[in-house]
Amino acid sequence: MKTAPDNGQKRMGRRTPEKEEILEAFLRNKRKTQARRKSLDAALAEAIRLNRAVKAGRVPAAVIGVLNALEDAALGEHFTVIGTHALYAYEAAAAVRIVQGAMATQDVDLLWDARKRVQFLSTMQRLDRSVLSVLQDADPSFQRMDGQAETAIDAKGFQVDFLRRETTEGDERPFRFTDDEGDLWPVQARRAEQFLKKPRFEQVVVSATGRMALMRTIDPQVFVDFKRWMAGLEDRPAGKRRRDELQAGIVQKLLDEKLLT
C-alpha cells in the first residue's frame, strides 16, 4: 500500500523486488530527512538562544507569531507589512536601533495583494481553513473584532488589521477571505496601490524572546513618501501627524546615509 500525505492509501499490487526497492529508497530518504530536520531544529534552538542572550531583536512577539503562522500556512507571500512595524525591518537591515517613541503601536497592518486573488483563493481552498483560524495558530485568543470585520484582536489587545487596495476593475467588493462567516474582510486603504508598484523589502526580524520571522514590507522610499503624505492630512490627529513626520525623517536619514538600499 502507498500512503499519501493526506493519509489516503493506494493499492500497489503484489509484492515484487522492484517494489521492495522503492520502499527501501523511501525509507532511506525518510531517515535522511528526519536526521536533517533534527539538525536544523537544534541549529534553530541555538540561534534563538543566542539572539536572546545578545538582545538581538525587539519585535513584539505577537508580530513574530502572526508572520510565522502565515508563512507556515503558505500565505506569507500574499501579505505585506505596512505602517509602523516596517521600521523593525529597516532597523534590522541597517544595523541600528530606532528611538522607541517612533515605534509604539498596538496593531500591525497587513496589506493583502488583490492582484493574486486567484492564487490566494486556491491556497485557501486547499487549506480548508479561514484566515482567522490561521492567526489562531499564533494565539488561540484571536477573534474578529466586533464592528470591525477587518480586524482580529487577541486577549492582550494586540490587533491585526487587514487592508486591500482601493477597488479597481475586476476586484471583488466587498471581499471576505473565505466562505467562513466568521472570517475577516480586508478593508480598502487609500494609496495602498502605491505599495504594490515597487518590489517588496524583505528582512529577517527578531523578537526579544529570540524567535525569528521573515518580514515582507514596503520599499523604504515608498514608506517615506507615504508617511509624509499622511503627515499632511488635515483630518488626521496632530499627534499621529507628528509621528508620521518623525518616522519619515528617520527612514529618509537611513537612505541618505546608504544604510538602506
Side-chain angles (χ1 to χ4, degrees):
M1 302 292 293
K2 184 176 182 179
T3 303
D6 62 359
N7 288 324
Q9 291 187 329
K10 177 182 177 181
R11 188 179 298 277
M12 297 184 67
R14 294 175 61 84
R15 183 186 300 268
T16 66
E18 292 77 12
K19 291 170 186 172
E20 291 282 5
E21 187 175 337
I22 292 173
L23 174 61
E24 183 56 36
F26 166 77
L27 292 175
R28 283 198 304 271
N29 287 333
K30 182 177 180 180
R31 289 191 292 269
K32 186 183 298 183
T33 301
Q34 288 175 332
R36 177 65 173 160
R37 174 62 185 267
K38 184 177 180 180
S39 175
L40 289 172
D41 285 345
L44 176 61
E46 178 66 10
I48 291 173
R49 186 188 69 78
L50 289 174
N51 285 340
R52 188 166 56 246
V54 301
K55 299 181 179 180
R58 55 174 179 160
V59 180
V63 175
I64 298 292
V66 167
L67 293 178
N68 282 333
L70 292 172
E71 199 70 29
D72 290 344
L75 296 174
E77 65 177 288
H78 294 282
F79 296 98
T80 302
V81 175
I82 62 175
T84 296
H85 280 89
L87 294 173
Y88 289 110
Y90 303 151
E91 73 168 13
V96 299
R97 283 293 174 95
I98 294 173
V99 291
Q100 190 63 41
M103 315 281 273
T105 182
Q106 265 295 96
D107 65 280
V108 61
D109 296 328
L110 296 179
L111 175 66
W112 173 66
D113 191 349
R115 301 171 303 173
K116 300 178 180 177
R117 182 170 63 92
V118 173
Q119 180 184 350
F120 174 81
L121 292 176
S122 176
T123 301
M124 295 309 300
Q125 185 176 21
R126 177 180 57 79
L127 290 173
D128 193 25
R129 301 180 63 187
S130 67
V131 170
L132 180 60
S133 76
V134 172
L135 294 185
Q136 289 168 344
D137 288 344
D139 187 330
S141 70
F142 268 118
Q143 297 294 330
R144 192 172 74 183
M145 182 180 288
D146 292 339
Q148 289 183 229
E150 75 277 9
T151 301
I153 185 169
D154 68 13
K156 296 179 181 179
F158 185 82
Q159 300 177 23
V160 182
D161 297 324
F162 288 93
L163 311 176
R164 60 181 294 188
R165 68 183 181 185
E166 293 178 295
T167 54
T168 61
E169 185 177 354
D171 282 356
E172 183 178 340
R173 179 189 180 190
F175 177 81
R176 185 173 60 201
F177 282 131
T178 65
D179 292 334
D180 187 320
E181 293 185 359
D183 209 0
L184 299 149
W185 300 71
V187 66
Q188 295 181 71
R190 288 187 291 178
R191 288 176 59 104
E193 182 72 27
Q194 302 298 315
F195 300 147
L196 305 173
K197 289 184 176 180
K198 280 196 172 185
R200 289 185 296 191
F201 186 90
E202 298 187 354
Q203 175 65 38
V204 173
V205 292
V206 185
S207 74
T209 63
R211 293 183 63 213
M212 296 162 284
L214 175 65
M215 181 180 287
R216 296 177 173 90
T217 188
I218 58 177
D219 179 88
Q221 190 60 62
V222 173
F223 178 93
V224 172
D225 296 342
F226 178 74
K227 284 295 182 176
R228 285 180 174 163
W229 173 75
M230 292 281 283
L233 296 176
E234 294 183 359
D235 60 345
R236 188 163 171 80
K240 290 186 176 181
R241 286 192 280 119
R242 286 194 296 270
R243 191 177 68 169
D244 292 334
E245 192 60 50
L246 172 63
Q247 292 176 345
I250 289 170
V251 178
Q252 185 62 62
K253 185 174 178 61
L254 295 178
L255 288 168
D256 292 343
E257 296 183 0
K258 309 299 183 184
L259 297 175
L260 288 177
T261 57

